[in-house]
Amino acid sequence: MSNERILDTLRAPHISEKSARLAAHNQYVFVVAPTATSADVKAAVEQMFDVKVEKVNLVNTKGKSKSFRFRSGARQGKRKAYVRLVDGQTIDVGTAP
C-alpha cells in the first residue's frame, strides 16, 4: 500500500473520552475515508505504525442537524474505525508519523 493511499485511508485519530478508555484495552479509534474497507484500514494501520492488527470495526456516524440564523442544516457525517491490536502492542496516537 502506497503512502498516499495510507494517508487517504486514515484521516485522523479520533480523540475523545471514550477513545481514551478504549486505549487501555488495546483499541484505538480513527476517522477514515468514507470508501475505506476493513482490509484497507488494517493494512494502513499495520504499515504506518508497525503493529499487528487483530480486528477492525467500522461505524458510520450521521451528522447532527443544526440551525443557524433560522436556517436549518446538517453537519457532515463521518466514518470511524475501531482498531483492536494484538496483546502487548500499543500506538502513541499523539505522535503519529
Side-chain angles (χ1 to χ4, degrees):
M1 186 175 252
S2 68
N3 285 342
E4 183 179 330
R5 179 117 168 110
I6 289 172
L7 294 175
D8 185 45
T9 301
L10 294 178
R11 299 279 169 89
H14 183 74
I15 307 298
S16 66
E17 290 182 18
K18 181 179 178 181
S19 65
R21 283 195 314 267
L22 289 174
H25 301 288
N26 268 1
Q27 206 167 10
Y28 299 91
V29 186
F30 295 96
V31 177
V32 295
T35 58
T37 63
S38 294
D40 291 341
V41 173
K42 180 177 179 179
V45 170
E46 285 180 346
Q47 212 169 27
M48 181 177 259
F49 297 104
D50 197 29
V51 293
K52 184 74 176 156
V53 174
E54 183 178 328
K55 189 172 184 173
V56 175
N57 292 327
L58 295 173
V59 177
N60 291 320
T61 58
K62 188 176 180 182
K64 290 182 176 182
S65 59
K66 295 285 186 174
S67 62
F68 177 72
R69 292 193 181 177
F70 307 110
R71 289 186 174 184
S72 61
R75 289 185 180 168
Q76 188 174 6
K78 57 183 145 183
R79 186 173 180 123
K80 296 189 289 187
Y82 289 83
V83 178
R84 180 181 294 278
L85 301 181
V86 175
D87 288 336
Q89 296 190 338
T90 59
I91 294 175
D92 187 9
V93 185
T95 60

